[in-house]
Amino acid sequence: MPEEADFETAVRDYAPRLLALARLMLGEAHEAEDVVQDAFAKAWARWDDADVRAHALPWLLTVVKNRCIDLGRVRTPDVGFERLPEKPAPPPPDEPVHTATLDQVIEAVRRLPEPYRTVLLLRYSQKLAYEEIAKATGVPLGTVKSQISRAVRLLRAEINP
Amino acid sequence: MTCTDVRIEDFLLGFLDAGEAAEVERHLASCSVCAAERDRVRALLDRLEELPMREADAAPVAAAVLARTRKKRKLTWEVLLMPTAASVLFGVIAFIALVPQQPATTAKQDAPHAKEIDKLVEKLSDADVAERDKAEKAIVDLAKDLSHAFIALEKAKKSGDAEVVARAERAAKALRDAIAALATASKSDDAAERMAALDKRIVDNPKDPTAWLERARLRLEQKKWQDAIADCTRAIELDPMLAEAFLARATAREGLEDLAGAIEDKNRVRIIEEMRARMDERPK
């Protein structure tokens, strides 16, 4: 069946991206794999829907991020929220620029409150355009931009206070 | 432009218009503190670009998904979306009766079970107590049949016959989904009941801050952020020392992405707790 072939292609093409997103959000390898498998099971159940097939990647990314948010909420509600100031005071100009490692950045992103964690990952890990993020998260374009700006500020405070 | 006006993140992300960007550039040229901050934010953005987009080891996950899909033929989702959970359960029992080697003693093959269930439920309010007992027992027996169906399906899944295994897996999934649907329906009924009770409590005692707070909490569960905020605010007006109301309002404000408001409420919680601690320390 052509639909089954489409689904198989979608699984092979998108599983690496969905897994990357789930691992970045959750950190737990097994949990991330379960989330990805469940997302594909949901997609398969709705594969008759031409809309789902036509927008399979954003649809799957949305399912994965929603599930990860739910799991994160159960595991660590309200993580580190109060430690993030509105605008960090800049360090003295003569202090050398300390560049955080990728692992440090990933850890800090994971600690960000929602929706900042998600928008940052959709933008920088999944390279989605702002318009695509707006569709995936269901918020206006302007809000997405302000969320990303705020997310960077929060991350900056978290990494290099 | 002063240092506090400079939106370095927006500048580097390209979110400022040409005029604003030019102003920031002029400020950066004359302010070494902000210029250093720009370099740090830029380094962070460069690092963010390195976040992995794909996982190289996703092949086993893809293989597991495809194996699952091939093993099961496409589920008949219409069955799962039938109007009442009871009819789904009975449909499943009828289906189980078709699985070879399964006893499924009480299952019938073709009966419109939903109607039977409706009759049983009606009989729960029968004038004759013996009829009411009988109907109740019949419904309890149905629950036992479902439990029996689960066990029978687990056995069937171990059968060597691929078709039996596939049918048993589909039936077991339908059972699980039907029960999950029941749980969801029950939860939603429960929330509606709790809401009605709280509405009444507020009407009866409009000056009871805890009633407003409890309704706010229920609204938080339902993600009705604005309504939750309104209830919390009322609770706070009635009792300005009710830290829980500030905390609940902070959660609702987070839901609306009002970070500044949420922080303000959480700070208020801290102040109240400190005040209470000081009052506790005072000699009595």
Side-chain angles (χ1 to χ4, degrees):
Chain A
M1 263 169 74
E3 285 177 11
E4 286 190 21
D6 283 352
F7 183 72
E8 201 167 320
T9 308
V11 172
R12 294 196 195 289
D13 286 353
Y14 302 147
R17 292 185 63 168
L18 299 178
L19 194 59
L21 178 65
R23 280 191 186 155
L24 285 169
M25 288 187 83
L26 295 171
E28 299 285 332
H30 287 300
E31 214 169 29
E33 287 172 14
D34 288 347
V35 167
V36 173
Q37 287 199 33
D38 289 348
F40 277 119
K42 280 186 182 165
W44 176 235
R46 295 193 53 188
W47 206 243
D48 285 340
D49 185 337
D51 235 28
V52 173
R53 287 204 304 279
H55 305 101
L57 179 61
W59 193 91
L60 284 159
L61 285 170
T62 305
V63 172
V64 166
K65 66 106 179 147
N66 285 344
R67 183 69 188 131
C68 290
I69 290 171
D70 286 346
L71 286 172
R73 196 173 286 141
V74 171
R75 231 169 31 195
T76 49
D78 203 11
V79 184
F81 178 72
E82 286 180 274
R83 287 183 289 116
L84 301 170
E86 275 291 287
K87 180 163 176 155
D94 50 350
E95 191 178 295
V97 174
H98 161 74
T99 311
T101 66
L102 184 58
D103 283 345
Q104 285 171 328
V105 170
I106 289 173
E107 272 309 309
V109 169
R110 214 172 267 146
R111 285 198 300 273
L112 284 178
E114 289 299 338
Y116 306 105
R117 179 180 59 158
T118 296
V119 290
L120 215 56
L121 289 175
L122 291 177
R123 178 78 187 115
Y124 288 98
S125 158
Q126 292 306 305
K127 316 290 184 205
L128 295 195
Y130 298 125
E131 291 81 2
E132 291 174 310
I133 298 172
K135 272 188 194 163
T137 54
V139 299
L141 180 62
T143 307
V144 167
K145 287 186 176 178
S146 65
Q147 285 175 349
I148 288 178
S149 172
R150 180 73 69 93
V152 172
R153 196 182 313 160
L154 292 172
L155 195 64
R156 161 79 183 86
E158 181 75 356
I159 281 182
N160 205 356
Chain B
M1 177 173 272
T2 66
C3 296
T4 48
D5 301 327
V6 177
R7 287 147 57 196
I8 288 175
E9 294 82 11
D10 288 347
F11 172 70
L12 291 175
L13 288 164
F15 292 164
L16 300 182
D17 63 36
E20 290 172 319
E23 253 190 275
V24 172
E25 269 172 20
R26 274 197 296 278
H27 178 83
L28 290 172
S30 64
C31 175
S32 58
V33 174
C34 287
E37 179 62 8
R38 174 203 52 204
D39 293 344
R40 289 185 176 88
V41 176
R42 185 179 280 151
L44 176 61
L45 291 173
D46 289 345
R47 195 59 96 200
L48 281 170
E49 292 287 356
E50 295 170 22
L51 286 174
M53 183 189 198
R54 295 168 168 275
E55 287 289 352
D57 60 346
V61 177
V65 170
L66 293 174
R68 235 163 93 173
T69 317
R70 285 194 196 108
K71 206 160 68 177
K72 294 176 184 178
R73 292 210 331 265
K74 202 156 184 205
L75 287 173
T76 51
W77 287 94
E78 293 81 359
V79 171
L80 303 181
L81 298 173
M82 282 167 81
T84 67
S87 60
V88 172
L89 296 183
F90 270 90
V92 171
I93 292 174
F95 184 80
I96 292 158
L98 297 174
V99 178
Q101 301 160 16
Q102 293 312 303
T105 48
T106 58
K108 294 177 185 175
Q109 291 194 12
D110 302 308
H113 301 288
K115 285 185 183 167
E116 292 175 16
I117 280 278
D118 289 345
K119 276 185 199 163
L120 285 175
V121 174
E122 267 174 36
K123 285 202 170 182
L124 288 176
S125 53
D126 197 284
D128 183 349
V129 70
E131 284 296 311
R132 295 205 294 271
D133 286 349
K134 219 165 104 186
E136 186 184 333
K137 183 175 180 309
I139 293 169
V140 170
D141 284 345
L142 286 174
K144 287 180 187 164
D145 284 343
L146 283 178
S147 157
H148 174 84
F150 266 121
I151 295 164
L153 286 169
E154 284 306 311
K155 280 186 197 161
K157 279 197 225 168
K158 288 174 189 153
S159 142
D161 185 327
E163 191 189 338
V164 174
V165 173
R167 280 175 183 275
E169 280 183 352
R170 285 205 297 276
K173 169 136 186 20
L175 260 178
R176 278 197 303 275
D177 287 346
I179 287 166
L182 277 176
T184 308
S186 144
K187 202 173 166 189
S188 136
D189 285 351
D190 181 44
E193 264 178 41
R194 282 164 61 203
M195 185 60 80
L198 286 167
D199 287 345
K200 187 174 178 312
R201 209 173 126 195
I202 286 170
V203 170
D204 293 345
N205 301 292
K207 292 197 173 170
D208 175 6
T210 58
W212 292 93
L213 173 61
E214 280 181 36
R215 196 170 74 176
R217 283 175 172 156
L218 184 55
R219 286 178 158 165
L220 282 182
E221 283 175 30
Q222 297 168 337
K223 298 188 180 174
K224 292 182 179 168
W225 311 124
Q226 291 289 12
D227 291 341
I229 289 173
D231 280 354
C232 287
T233 304
R234 185 75 189 114
I236 291 165
E237 282 166 9
L238 292 164
D239 180 0
M241 288 291 279
L242 192 59
E244 293 88 345
F246 283 100
L247 200 58
R249 194 168 68 180
T251 308
R253 285 178 163 171
E254 278 173 40
L256 288 174
E257 296 156 21
D258 173 12
L259 227 62
I263 289 174
E264 197 181 306
D265 276 341
K266 290 193 177 188
N267 285 339
R268 185 76 200 174
V269 172
R270 261 199 300 272
I271 292 167
I272 292 172
E273 281 169 356
E274 282 166 13
M275 283 169 75
R276 280 186 178 156
R278 277 202 298 275
M279 283 163 80
D280 288 346
E281 280 167 14
R282 272 187 204 160
K284 293 179 182 165

